[in-house]
Amino acid sequence: MKYEAVVRVVSSLAVIASLGLVAYELHQNNKEIVESNRLGRMQSASDSVEAATRTRQMIIENSEVWSKAIAGEPLTDEEDMICELVSHTYFFTIGQLYEQAVHLDDDELIASRLSLPNRLKKNYSPVKNYWIRVRPEFISKGYGPLAESFDRAFANPKL
């Protein structure tokens, strides 16, 4: 009898110890997941800044053509192509930012990305001219809500 009681106590202690070890492992895994998510968000933010910087740089490098387009002056075929490429880069940068927010499942970030088209100013009217060419691809990539935001922004008479 005494032997059986010792075996029960030892086996109970082993179960408790293994549960403690499992709890410790779960805690460690959770810490690793949180750290991995934090690093992923940092990388994603860095990629966003890089994409936005690249778009701004394209506008700066082509400022003469961009200014002509903003002023409504006629563009040569080459200038029109430059404006189209800059505009497409602008659209797809915003598309990537939206996709990033959706991937991160961050409702505030998604709302922020959906508000980006509303921030267009009158001097971005050249972008509006190329939207019709880009819109179908936005829809096919699953950017429907973002496309709707652009549609509303471009329907606004301020552009």
Side-chain angles (χ1 to χ4, degrees):
M1 243 349 185
K2 204 175 187 180
Y3 175 74
E4 288 176 7
V6 170
V7 168
R8 284 188 195 137
V9 168
V10 169
S11 65
S12 295
L13 289 174
V15 167
I16 291 170
S18 67
L19 288 175
L21 183 60
V22 167
Y24 174 77
E25 288 293 324
L26 287 173
H27 178 71
Q28 289 300 103
N29 285 344
N30 187 47
K31 283 174 50 177
E32 289 175 15
I33 289 169
V34 167
E35 178 64 12
S36 175
N37 285 341
R38 187 179 68 76
L39 291 173
R41 289 176 83 81
M42 288 172 56
Q43 181 62 48
S44 185
S46 176
D47 292 346
S48 298
V49 169
E50 183 180 331
T53 301
R54 190 172 39 251
T55 302
R56 288 183 190 107
Q57 188 62 36
M58 283 183 75
I59 291 171
I60 291 167
E61 289 172 358
N62 297 288
S63 61
E64 288 181 31
V65 173
W66 196 252
S67 294
K68 263 179 89 172
I70 289 169
E73 296 176 20
L75 301 175
T76 66
D77 288 345
E78 182 179 342
E79 291 169 333
D80 183 60
M81 180 188 69
I82 289 169
C83 279
E84 183 173 9
L85 291 172
V86 171
S87 295
H88 282 203
T89 302
Y90 171 79
F91 287 125
F92 287 103
T93 295
I94 291 180
Q96 288 174 334
L97 294 173
Y98 173 74
E99 188 171 344
Q100 166 211 38
V102 169
H103 178 74
L104 293 172
D105 196 25
D106 186 327
D107 290 337
E108 287 183 32
L109 196 55
I110 291 169
S112 171
R113 300 307 192 228
L114 290 174
S115 74
L116 288 173
N118 296 328
R119 299 178 195 171
L120 290 171
K121 297 178 182 169
K122 186 174 183 177
N123 63 351
Y124 272 77
S125 57
V127 176
K128 180 179 180 178
N129 298 331
Y130 301 103
W131 170 241
I132 195 71
R133 298 177 195 165
V134 174
R135 190 180 190 286
E137 193 169 346
F138 258 54
I139 300 298
S140 72
K141 288 185 174 207
Y143 300 167
L146 185 58
E148 291 170 11
S149 290
F150 273 111
D151 289 342
R152 282 190 301 276
F154 290 139
N156 187 335
K158 73 174 183 165
L159 286 178

